[in-house]
Amino acid sequence: MLKVKDLSFGYTKNHVLKDINFTINIGENLAIIGESGSGKSTLLKLIFGEHDLEQGQIFWKSTEILGPKYNLVVGYDFMKYVAQEFDLMPYTTVEDNIGKHLSRFYPEEKEKRTQELIRIVELDNFAKTKVKNLSGGQKQRVAIARSLAKEPEILLLDEPFSHIDNFKKQSLRRNVFNYLRAKNISCVVATHDKNDVLGFADEMLVLHNKSIIAKDKPHSLYKNPKLPLVASFFEEFNVIDGKIYYAHELKIVNNSELKATVKQSYYNGNSWLIETLFNEQSIFIYHNKPLTEGKKIYFTFLK
Ligand code: ADP
Ligand code: MG
């Protein structure tokens, strides 16, 4: 398993991460979330051994992960890392990039494996295209495929689908996470996207102010977010009397003790999100039709 123990780190005197502790079992998928600048990428780089820790230790099974001060070459064979800024060979083709680290002594296996990975990231039509001629999202898919070429034991993904358009995102996410699951490859994913987490992560860790402020199964944190920061990752939410309610947990009714004034209606495909003013506070409620500004409405709680 991966064990992160009492980890502290800063690029300067100021800490980016302080006293971080967690473990991941073999084959598990852990999602790391947090606002921009909360240290998600830094944590992945530390797990990869890209920087020396200020304090603490990281282990994969019984191997201690060491930084550049102790390791001539950064990284280990059992671990792959797909950075936010993926670095590919621009003047070579998609298939050459993916197969780069596969042995040329087994040309048939190399070819078969490369084609399998190209299918997983759905780049069949681009196998012979030079990487420099690809879009950002396509490059990101090449980087993911290349990281899987030698089947790591643990994969670190930094916002892996952030450059990929919505047309492709859903199927790609299923392909990649299902592949990792099938091969029992552990995975740590830094992400902004709740869809990377809810359907795929076993555990979810929230970074804020240098620390882990929440860690639990995604559905537990979704059902009971406790903190506005956690709720905001999932959905539009409201704080009423100190309690958190998602917009879908409120309902507009004919009469109740809670009266609000409509400010604006936003179409979202399934319904409308109605922004209302209640006790001088914006309250968001889903509704089956738009409502006109200034209209008085009543709402109630569904939980
Ligand atoms: P996230 O991935 O959650 O957006 P990062 O790990 O990239 O956050 O950054 C965490 C903090 O560390 C930020 O304040 C960022 O400015 C700082 N930081 C990141 N990389 C470097 C670096 N190479 N040198 C100095 N500071 C850095
Ligand atoms: Mg980042």
Side-chain angles (χ1 to χ4, degrees):
M1 67 180 184
L2 179 78
K3 187 175 177 66
V4 173
K5 193 163 164 263
D6 300 328
L7 176 154
S8 294
F9 175 81
Y11 294 94
T12 58
K13 285 196 303 291
N14 301 322
H15 281 119
V16 171
L17 296 166
K18 201 160 182 342
D19 298 324
I20 301 291
N21 284 285
F22 65 91
T23 59
I24 309 170
N25 291 321
I26 289 169
E28 246 181 13
N29 177 320
L30 172 78
I32 299 178
I33 71 155
E35 293 158 299
S36 273
S38 60
K40 302 181 294 298
S41 297
T42 301
L43 183 53
L44 291 185
K45 286 173 186 172
L46 292 171
I47 296 172
F48 190 60
E50 202 164 300
H51 300 292
D52 295 301
L53 303 182
E54 181 190 305
Q55 174 204 295
Q57 284 175 302
I58 301 170
F59 290 94
W60 172 250
K61 296 180 180 166
S62 57
T63 307
E64 183 168 5
I65 308 296
L66 298 171
K69 209 190 274 179
Y70 307 93
N71 246 351
L72 194 56
V73 180
V74 168
Y76 295 82
D77 278 348
F78 50 78
M79 176 148 39
K80 282 288 176 295
Y81 164 54
V82 182
Q84 237 170 325
E85 330 74 32
F86 22 89
D87 82 282
L88 300 166
M89 304 180 294
Y91 298 101
T92 41
T93 64
V94 166
E95 56 185 18
D96 287 346
N97 265 274
I98 293 173
K100 181 186 167 191
H101 299 296
L102 296 175
S103 172
R104 60 193 167 79
F105 293 109
Y106 304 97
E108 269 172 38
E109 282 77 3
K110 179 171 172 168
E111 172 66 16
K112 203 165 142 237
R113 180 92 185 110
T114 304
Q115 295 313 318
E116 178 191 17
L117 292 164
I118 284 177
R119 271 196 303 282
I120 288 175
V121 296
E122 301 180 4
L123 282 174
D124 311 59
N125 296 329
F126 295 90
K128 311 275 184 218
T129 305
K130 289 202 171 98
V131 160
K132 72 177 171 61
N133 297 327
L134 297 179
S135 72
Q138 290 165 335
K139 286 180 191 159
Q140 192 163 30
R141 282 143 66 188
V142 176
I144 292 171
R146 190 184 55 181
S147 72
L148 292 172
K150 280 174 98 178
E151 259 186 43
E153 295 176 28
I154 174 167
L155 181 64
L156 312 174
L157 296 171
D158 201 346
E159 302 191 21
F161 311 113
S162 57
H163 296 264
I164 292 159
D165 59 61
N166 280 330
F167 300 107
K168 271 266 172 289
K169 207 179 264 194
Q170 316 288 355
S171 71
L172 200 64
R173 184 187 278 133
R174 281 192 296 268
N175 288 357
V176 171
F177 287 137
N178 288 344
Y179 179 85
L180 297 177
R181 187 75 71 194
K183 301 281 181 180
N184 210 28
I185 298 171
S186 307
C187 179
V188 186
V189 192
T191 182
H192 281 302
D193 191 337
K194 67 174 178 189
N195 296 308
D196 290 343
V197 179
L198 282 173
F200 301 100
D202 299 301
E203 286 277 319
M204 164 177 166
L205 178 162
V206 187
L207 287 180
H208 183 63
N209 206 3
K210 310 177 182 73
S211 305
I212 297 174
I213 58 160
K215 183 176 177 298
D216 208 335
K217 298 202 179 327
H219 77 92
S220 304
L221 289 182
Y222 176 75
K223 284 279 175 222
N224 188 10
K226 290 201 183 91
L227 300 163
L229 181 74
V230 178
S232 70
F233 177 73
F234 292 115
E235 258 171 58
E236 206 67 62
F237 73 100
N238 308 287
V239 181
I240 302 172
D241 286 341
K243 281 176 74 178
I244 291 172
Y245 297 91
Y246 292 117
H248 73 256
E249 292 173 330
L250 303 182
K251 185 175 163 53
I252 292 177
V253 290
N254 286 333
N255 208 344
S256 81
E257 285 173 2
L258 305 167
K259 188 175 177 182
T261 309
V262 172
K263 272 173 77 181
Q264 210 167 329
S265 302
Y266 304 92
Y267 184 52
N268 72 7
N270 267 329
S271 58
W272 276 263
L273 181 67
I274 314 292
E275 181 175 3
T276 69
L277 205 60
F278 171 74
N279 289 345
E280 290 168 14
Q281 176 194 355
S282 271
I283 293 289
F284 293 89
I285 312 172
Y286 286 117
H287 194 54
N288 61 3
K289 57 176 192 277
L291 299 173
T292 42
E293 189 189 344
K295 183 180 163 72
K296 306 284 179 217
I297 59 105
Y298 298 93
F299 69 92
T300 185
F301 302 108
L302 287 176
K303 77 163 185 185

